[in-house]
Amino acid sequence: MKVGTRAFWTGLRATHPIVVLRWLRAGLLAIVALTALLYVVVANRTGDQADAARRTDIAVRQLEAARASAGEANKALADAIGTRAENLIGPGADFANRIAQVGTLLTSAAEGNADAEQGLRQFQFVEGQLNTCVQLANRMVSEGPSCMSAKHAVVAAEKEQDGTAEVPFTGGLIQSLQDLETIQGAAVAQQRGAHWLNPALLWPLLIVPVAVMLLLVCATCRVVARHFRQYPSPALGLAWLLTASVAVTTCLLCRSGDADEWVMAIMLPLLVAAGALTYLAFRPRIAEYRFPRP
């Protein structure tokens, strides 16, 4: 192993500096191209996952508002029963408005469902609970305040508010909304901890190529200074700064999920500029060894 390593470095030192510069230029251009490819993949994947998490988070807030409206509807129903005129006024306009608001919020929240199959069944169950609640409340108009359905509608809601239902989706409307809110909230946390939003994967994936590029830049500077007695081109350092800025900015914006479209749109042009600067930084030295053919 030691003999092979020594032979490698001996052969490398014997290689003409211009050949080494060509290798370094190819390596730097390859890293810039790799960074562009990683940027496209990461931006697309993290964008999809961040959008999904954002939609589910909005759905959780809508479910919370629906649960509050259901509580107000229960209070309105209790007030209507207390007037002992429900056979004339029914459940009341306030109850109808609150229940309609619950239905609207529940429909909107279903668009941000985190689980296509299981979550859909859960939303359908809660919609069934909502329809059952409306039917029980409307039966008071024909059966009066002492009907069992009216008592069940009120008692079930009070039991839910006490938090006595321990098995998910075994209580009434309010408890079912709370269960659905809890499940979707857990899904949001799982979405935000997905692979493409995980800093432990995102940062090394984009920063390691930048670190390798810095090593190649330093090697290039050493070859140019030692063998050509020239100062390294500033374009080489600028190319590295552009590549590093794209990598760091992509990590920060993709992790937070707040990437502005105009910021992300200039990333690829910056990498194109980095590639052009890399090529131009090597051109003067390599051009010195281009002789016309006889």
Side-chain angles (χ1 to χ4, degrees):
M1 180 64 68
K2 291 183 179 180
V3 175
T5 304
R6 187 180 300 109
F8 171 78
W9 287 110
T10 301
L12 184 62
R13 284 193 294 268
T15 304
H16 197 281
I18 204 67
V19 176
V20 177
L21 284 183
R22 289 195 179 101
W23 290 347
L24 291 171
R25 181 180 65 179
L28 289 170
L29 291 175
I31 289 179
V32 174
L34 176 62
T35 303
L37 177 62
L38 290 175
Y39 159 74
V40 173
V41 173
V42 169
N44 288 335
R45 297 298 299 170
T46 56
D48 294 341
Q49 291 184 353
D51 289 341
R54 190 179 300 110
R55 289 193 299 268
T56 307
D57 187 59
I58 293 174
V60 171
R61 292 197 295 269
Q62 290 172 335
L63 290 173
E64 182 179 356
R67 182 163 55 88
S69 297
E72 294 295 330
N74 178 63
K75 182 177 181 299
L77 180 62
D79 293 340
I81 294 176
T83 60
R84 298 184 179 275
E86 63 279 352
N87 56 338
L88 298 177
I89 63 175
D94 191 14
F95 173 82
N97 292 335
R98 296 294 184 181
I99 286 296
Q101 187 175 12
V102 172
T104 301
L105 290 171
L106 189 60
T107 302
S108 299
E111 297 178 359
N113 174 32
D115 190 341
E117 297 182 1
Q118 182 65 23
L120 180 60
R121 290 194 293 267
Q122 293 165 353
F123 272 97
Q124 290 174 345
F125 176 81
V126 176
E127 289 177 354
Q129 291 280 68
L130 177 62
N131 294 331
T132 301
C133 180
V134 173
Q135 292 173 3
L136 291 176
N138 288 333
R139 286 183 60 183
M140 291 188 304
V141 178
S142 58
E143 297 184 22
S146 60
C147 69
M148 293 302 297
S149 61
K151 290 183 178 180
H152 173 75
V154 179
V155 173
E158 290 177 351
K159 181 180 180 181
E160 294 158 6
Q161 292 175 353
D162 292 339
T164 55
E166 297 180 357
V167 180
F169 302 105
T170 57
L173 175 62
I174 296 177
Q175 183 63 42
S176 297
L177 285 169
Q178 185 174 357
D179 294 337
L180 185 57
E181 178 187 342
T182 301
I183 292 174
Q184 294 295 317
V188 172
Q190 185 176 2
Q191 287 174 331
R192 295 195 180 280
H195 295 301
W196 292 103
L197 296 178
N198 188 353
L201 172 66
L202 197 60
W203 281 91
L205 188 64
L206 289 170
I207 298 303
V208 168
V210 173
V212 175
M213 184 178 181
L214 179 60
L215 294 177
L216 295 181
V217 169
C218 294
T220 302
C221 294
R222 186 175 186 274
V223 171
V224 171
R226 181 175 179 180
H227 295 279
F228 294 90
R229 300 295 191 270
Q230 297 288 338
Y231 288 106
S233 174
L236 199 58
L238 183 58
W240 179 81
L241 288 176
L242 289 177
T243 306
S245 65
V246 169
V248 173
T249 303
T250 302
C251 289
L252 293 175
L253 294 182
C254 290
R255 172 55 184 165
S256 62
D258 297 329
D260 295 327
E261 293 183 359
W262 69 270
V263 174
M264 303 302 286
I266 66 175
M267 296 301 181
L268 288 179
L270 287 178
L271 291 174
V272 172
L277 289 171
T278 300
Y279 180 83
L280 293 175
F282 284 87
R283 187 175 182 181
R285 303 286 76 81
I286 295 179
E288 294 178 2
Y289 288 82
R290 288 182 178 176
F291 301 103
R293 294 181 179 179

